[in-house]
Amino acid sequence: MSNPLSARWNSSLGFGLAALGSAVGLGNIWRFPYVMGEYGGGAFLLAYLLSVLLLGWPLLIAEISIGRHTHTDSIAACRHIAPGRPWRWAGWLGFAACIMILAYYPVIAGWVLHYLWLALQGDLGVMATDTQAARFTGITQNTGMAIGASLLTLGAATAIVAGGVAAGIERSSRILMPLFACLLLGLAVYSLNLPGRAQAMTFMFRPEWSALLRADTWLVAFGQALFSIGLAMGILVTYGSYLAKSADLPRIAGAVIAGDTLIALLASLVIFPAVFSMGLAPAQGPGLVFVVLPDVFANMPGGRTAGAMFFLLLLIAALTSIVSLLEVPVSLLMSRRGMARLPATLLTSATAFLLGVPVALGEGLSALQFEGWPTLLGMADQATSHVLLPLSAMAIALLVGWHWRAEEAQVAA
């Protein structure tokens, strides 16, 4: 029987790639550019970088240290650090965030898969009588397609997780992450040769200082840092539980932070020059990837290839994120219930699929909702990024800062 207490990464490089794969996801490619577009461009970038350096990096080291010290699931790990203390419940906050994200990530991944199919067919453009927004609405309201496509992506992630820590997650990361990096660099070179690159550079790197005086800019930047790095969800505690004591944790954590931040910046350098080249505004919200970019790719030279590369990139990002999210409850079932990895993975995936059905149905009924009311996916995204993840992060910080003996923490790190 597989046991998470005995599972290990084959190497520090394998762990680093897997941790980077868990960090690099839809949060970098789908979420980061649109929140940057909505919250002041360069000002948001500055707030985000400060959040990553001052909060994200220490929390990343803390989470991996907890996992490596306890060698158990994320909930039991927090209870082990602070037995009988309120902070032992910190693991449950991260677990709740993980499950909530698992409910809607496969749905978004299903949309990505549909757009990749359109791009491969050269069908990203729309008729003169239609719009990309109308097509996207039609896709989200096609609940059968949404459920089927999300099932495909969830099935691929399930196969990887069922393969185990080294043979499944680590091996797939060694293939998917280099492919991801090559696609991203190629798209960045392509996009930086478009006429809108100067406007994009100004927007991204010249802060609108007044935006830094708004509390919501900092709140969203902090939430995005947690979301992007994969913090406060139990993922890195779980991954850390498979890490050897000999690994250089601060160096690995620094590499993950640097890689994740670089990828978010490169994703923005892919998207914003293309958006400005078409004379469009960057503050397009969550529909930036699905409503604005298909038109951009459909109307630029080489757009068919670029569009296919972009949506393949996005699909890889979604897949690596879903893999890491699945591993958290799988580890819990294995350590708490003594389940073997395969049935634990199948049970977790089936639960994620069932939780995703109302999300897909809710998006399909979005046109019937009251004006101004968010969809179920939107509510889940806001609840995780604005409430659960910050609360979980604060609980982990208090757990480590107040209740973990200094000598144990130093040995674990």
Side-chain angles (χ1 to χ4, degrees):
M1 179 182 296
S2 296
N3 186 341
L5 299 178
S6 61
R8 292 290 182 271
W9 305 105
N10 280 331
S11 65
S12 296
L13 175 61
F15 166 75
L17 288 173
L20 185 59
S22 73
V24 172
L26 293 175
N28 299 75
I29 315 297
W30 165 65
R31 204 172 188 280
F32 182 83
Y34 89 71
V35 293
M36 187 177 180
E38 289 186 328
Y39 288 92
F44 174 82
L45 178 60
L46 181 58
Y48 174 79
L49 291 175
L50 288 173
S51 297
V52 166
L53 289 173
L54 300 179
L55 300 171
W57 195 359
L59 279 172
L60 175 61
I61 294 175
E63 287 197 36
I64 299 175
S65 297
I66 291 172
R68 185 164 69 168
H69 179 69
T70 59
H71 289 299
T72 187
D73 64 83
S74 59
I75 293 174
C78 293
R79 190 178 65 247
H80 176 85
I81 297 295
R85 300 282 187 169
W87 314 119
R88 71 184 187 277
W89 300 107
W92 283 104
L93 284 171
F95 183 79
C98 173
I99 295 300
M100 187 170 289
I101 296 170
L102 259 178
Y104 68 87
Y105 244 50
V107 176
I108 300 172
W111 299 341
V112 174
L113 182 61
H114 186 84
Y115 272 90
L116 174 60
W117 176 248
L118 292 175
L120 291 172
Q121 291 181 307
D123 196 27
L124 284 179
V126 294
M127 303 295 290
T129 56
D130 203 356
T131 64
Q132 290 288 356
R135 178 161 70 177
F136 179 58
T137 300
I139 290 171
T140 60
Q141 291 178 353
N142 185 345
T143 53
M145 183 282 301
I147 291 172
S150 66
L151 184 60
L152 285 174
T153 55
L154 190 57
T158 300
I160 292 172
V161 175
V165 174
I169 301 173
E170 183 174 345
R171 181 177 295 175
S172 66
S173 297
R174 287 177 177 272
I175 297 170
L176 292 175
M177 292 315 297
L179 176 60
F180 179 93
C182 290
L183 287 170
L184 185 61
L185 286 172
L187 281 169
V189 171
Y190 171 84
S191 197
L192 287 172
N193 281 287
L194 296 173
R197 64 182 180 275
Q199 285 178 278
M201 290 294 187
T202 299
F203 173 75
M204 288 180 60
F205 300 113
R206 183 177 295 172
E208 182 184 330
W209 298 110
S210 60
L212 294 175
L213 301 177
R214 292 163 29 202
D216 60 342
T217 300
W218 293 96
L219 177 63
V220 173
F222 179 47
Q224 176 60 31
L226 297 175
F227 201 101
S228 179
I229 301 169
L231 295 167
M233 305 175 198
I235 295 171
L236 291 158
V237 175
T238 302
Y239 276 18
S241 70
Y242 309 138
L243 184 63
K245 294 288 187 182
S246 58
D248 187 345
L249 180 51
R251 182 177 62 83
I252 295 173
V256 171
I257 289 288
D260 181 72
T261 304
L262 178 61
I263 285 169
L265 289 174
L266 283 173
S268 299
L269 289 173
V270 169
I271 291 172
F272 289 127
V275 168
F276 282 114
S277 294
M278 297 298 296
L280 300 172
Q284 298 288 336
L288 178 65
V289 165
F290 298 108
V291 175
V292 177
L293 289 184
D295 253 349
V296 171
F297 290 129
N299 291 283
M300 63 170 54
R304 176 176 178 176
T305 301
M309 288 174 61
F310 177 80
F311 285 107
L312 176 59
L313 178 83
L314 198 58
L315 185 62
I316 293 172
L319 184 61
T320 57
S321 292
I322 295 171
V323 164
S324 59
L325 290 164
L326 285 174
E327 182 64 17
V328 175
V330 166
S331 172
L332 182 69
L333 288 172
M334 291 169 65
S335 62
R336 290 287 187 92
R337 301 299 179 188
M339 296 180 68
R341 175 168 284 273
L342 180 58
T345 304
L346 293 175
L347 178 59
T348 299
S349 298
T351 303
F353 173 70
L354 292 175
L355 290 173
V357 169
V359 175
L361 293 176
E363 291 300 304
L365 297 173
S366 60
L368 304 178
Q369 293 186 352
F370 295 105
E371 184 177 354
W373 284 48
T375 63
L376 190 58
L377 188 153
M379 288 189 290
D381 182 56
Q382 290 184 13
T384 51
S385 63
H386 295 174
V387 181
L388 281 175
L389 292 183
L391 285 176
S392 178
M394 285 190 289
I396 290 169
L398 290 169
L399 171 73
V400 173
W402 284 10
H403 295 293
W404 200 6
R405 291 187 302 171
E407 57 271 22
E408 287 187 356
Q410 288 172 357
V411 170

